[in-house]
Amino acid sequence: MVRHQPPEEMLLDYATGTLPEPVALLVAAHLTLAPESRRDVRNFEALGGAMLEELEPEPLGDDALDNVLARLDEPAPAERNRGRRERAASEEVESGSEAGLMPAPLRRYLPRDLSSLPWKQRTGEVAEYELLKDAPGFRTRLLRIRAGAKVPAHTHEGHEYTLVLQGSFSDECGRFARGDVEVADGAVTHRPVAGSECDCICLAVTDAPLKLTGPLGRILNHFIDM
Ligand code: ZN
């Protein structure tokens, strides 16, 4: 069971299609693992649809007939929402299976054979694989943290969104396991520690560099690109 859902406004932005692509991808992957969040997104979508239907009709003008004829060509609200519903349905099917580590929305960005994923070792204990490299202003990475390893203490110049795909990590904000999302910003300084059960694999999206804290970290910031 997912314990840490993304904040409500993030799910609302997802429902209205206003999240930037990397964050939307992270939410889409989370939704395949979290029925509660799927329900929230569906409620937001239904609310949006109902509000559209209640909009005041325009007063009739000379071009009223033209307008009506033009609107006949437009998809009905139900039709407009169908794409989303189909998407949600496929997400639901996904959640029922333990078959894949990688949620379907993520798989299209990854090589078919996950064992051949060219992980890049960042430190002795953290490896990464970067995806969505062309999304301006964002870094989107799969991180693999060795079981039991500590990530250096850091804070954030912007936002850091983390979705756990395998294993778990714990930090000052709690324990995060498969499907959980942590959103951290400059107000959060943390030192995530991977659970000892297995390597922890996360999808991490950042919109600004991390800032290592502690005396050594402050020096290292000048040399490494987190
Ligand atoms: Zn962080």
Side-chain angles (χ1 to χ4, degrees):
M1 191 190 118
V2 166
R3 289 174 192 278
H4 301 276
Q5 288 179 264
E8 225 171 38
E9 60 270 22
M10 203 168 143
L11 294 178
L12 176 63
D13 288 348
Y14 178 83
T16 54
T18 51
L19 282 181
E21 189 187 4
V23 186
L25 172 64
L26 183 138
V27 173
H30 162 77
L31 290 179
T32 67
L33 305 168
E36 306 87 338
S37 298
R38 281 204 300 278
R39 192 195 53 217
D40 291 349
V41 167
R42 244 178 253 139
N43 287 342
F44 288 138
E45 287 174 350
L47 194 65
M51 284 166 72
L52 276 180
E53 280 161 26
E54 277 174 21
L55 285 180
E56 286 286 310
E58 288 172 28
L60 288 183
D62 291 343
D63 51 358
L65 181 61
D66 288 343
N67 286 342
V68 169
L69 290 176
R71 288 182 69 167
L72 286 179
D73 293 332
E74 291 172 10
E79 195 78 8
R80 277 199 291 269
N81 281 328
R82 201 169 63 184
R84 287 183 185 281
R85 274 205 298 275
E86 279 166 1
R87 189 185 61 195
S90 72
E91 284 158 0
E92 201 146 9
V93 171
E94 187 67 23
S95 72
S97 85
E98 290 295 315
L101 166 68
M102 296 297 169
L106 257 180
R107 265 186 240 139
R108 51 182 285 237
Y109 296 95
L110 301 170
R112 220 185 157 80
D113 176 13
L114 287 174
S115 62
S116 71
L117 203 64
W119 291 99
K120 189 173 148 196
Q121 205 68 36
R122 290 303 303 253
T123 69
E125 299 183 309
V126 180
E128 70 174 34
Y129 175 78
E130 196 162 355
L131 50 159
L132 274 179
K133 287 184 192 169
D134 51 353
F138 285 90
R139 282 186 91 174
T140 308
R141 293 178 279 183
L142 286 177
L143 296 177
R144 190 185 60 199
I145 307 159
R146 189 173 294 165
K150 295 184 173 89
V151 174
H154 64 271
T155 184
H156 317 84
E157 285 181 19
H159 296 90
E160 175 191 63
Y161 308 91
T162 308
L163 166 69
V164 180
L165 299 168
Q166 172 186 293
S168 67
F169 72 82
S170 299
D171 67 7
E172 289 72 355
C173 302
R175 179 176 181 272
F176 296 80
R178 180 165 164 84
D180 285 329
V181 170
E182 180 176 40
V183 180
D185 59 17
V188 176
T189 298
H190 59 171
R191 182 171 201 191
V193 181
S196 56
E197 66 275 21
C198 61
D199 287 356
C200 177
I201 296 180
C202 301
L203 175 66
V205 176
T206 48
D207 58 10
L210 305 184
K211 234 164 90 183
L212 298 178
T213 52
L216 184 61
R218 280 195 280 273
I219 297 168
L220 284 174
N221 276 321
H222 295 283
F223 299 99
I224 59 171
D225 165 34
M226 292 291 281

